[in-house]
Structures are given as C-alpha cells and as structure tokens.
C-alpha cells in the first residue's frame, strides 16, 4: 500500500540492451507490508541491506561473447541469513550501481 512507501526521488533513465527505458524510483519502505509482485515479471522478491548494495566490493563485473560481440554486465551476489543465494545482475545491478554512484557524489 502507498501508505508504506515514501518516494524520495528518481534516478536518470536507464536504457537496457533490449531497448527498454526504465526510470528507477527510490523510496523508503516501512516494515509490515504485504508485497505483491507481478508473476510474469518477478520470479521472487527478497530484501538486501542497503549497506551491502552500496559496498563496491560486492559489485562484480562479468563479460561474455554473444554473436561475435563482447557483452559486459554487473552482478551483486547475495546470500541471505538462511543461506539462500540470490544473484542480482544485469539491469537491476546496473541501476543499483548508478544509485551507489549518485550517493557517493
């Protein structure tokens, strides 16, 4: 519910390699909310401490070759308190890296 969210700003539009334009919105979310995701868009949702995401030591760079071209992407692997591994990567990791850079400035 909107009552649990305080929007504090937005980041510049992020253009994905698949030609989507995404406007990341940054907000504070109060505890005790019922998260509802769009099943066709989100496999599963999880929480990661902001301090982990804002630590550049956790920002990993990867590259691979596709159709004769080198492609680069970021990841931020996270293991939660229950030992479950989550792989934050691609556009999500890139937008989080942009948030890191914005907060660093």
């Amino acid at each position: 519910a909107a009552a649990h969210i305080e929007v504090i700003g937005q980041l510049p539009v992020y253009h994905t390699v698949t030609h989507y334009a995404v406007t990341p919105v940054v907000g504070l979310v109060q505890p005790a909310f019922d998260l509802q995701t769009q099943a066709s868009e989100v496999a599963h949702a999880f929480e990661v401490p902001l301090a982990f995401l804002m630590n550049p030591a956790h920002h990993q760079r990867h590259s691979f070759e596709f159709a004769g071209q080198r492609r680069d992407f970021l990841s931020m692997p996270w293991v939660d308190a229950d030992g479950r591994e989550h792989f934050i990567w691609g556009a999500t990791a890139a937008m989080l890296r942009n948030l890191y850079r914005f907060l660093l400035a």
Side-chain angles (χ1 to χ4, degrees):
H4 291 280
I5 302 168
E6 178 187 352
V7 174
I8 58 175
Q10 67 184 39
L11 297 174
V13 173
Y14 180 82
H15 297 277
T16 70
V17 296
T18 52
H19 307 291
Y20 285 93
V22 180
T23 302
V25 176
V26 180
L28 302 174
V29 181
Q30 298 300 317
F33 59 90
D34 182 30
L35 183 64
Q36 296 178 11
T37 62
Q38 178 69 30
S40 64
E41 295 282 335
V42 178
H44 67 279
F46 53 93
E47 292 184 53
V48 181
L50 183 61
F52 176 89
L53 296 171
M54 297 299 104
N55 183 339
H58 300 137
H59 304 175
Q60 299 179 7
R61 295 192 175 277
H62 306 269
S63 64
F64 65 98
E65 193 167 310
F66 179 76
Q69 293 187 355
R70 180 182 157 162
R71 304 293 286 261
D72 297 310
F73 70 95
L74 287 168
S75 75
M76 298 173 185
W78 164 251
V79 179
D80 65 23
D82 295 325
R84 292 178 295 221
E85 297 179 1
H86 305 281
F87 194 67
I88 304 164
W89 66 286
T92 302
M95 288 182 270
L96 287 168
R97 175 72 176 194
N98 287 345
L99 175 62
Y100 161 76
R101 288 181 177 152
F102 182 79
L103 293 176
L104 189 64

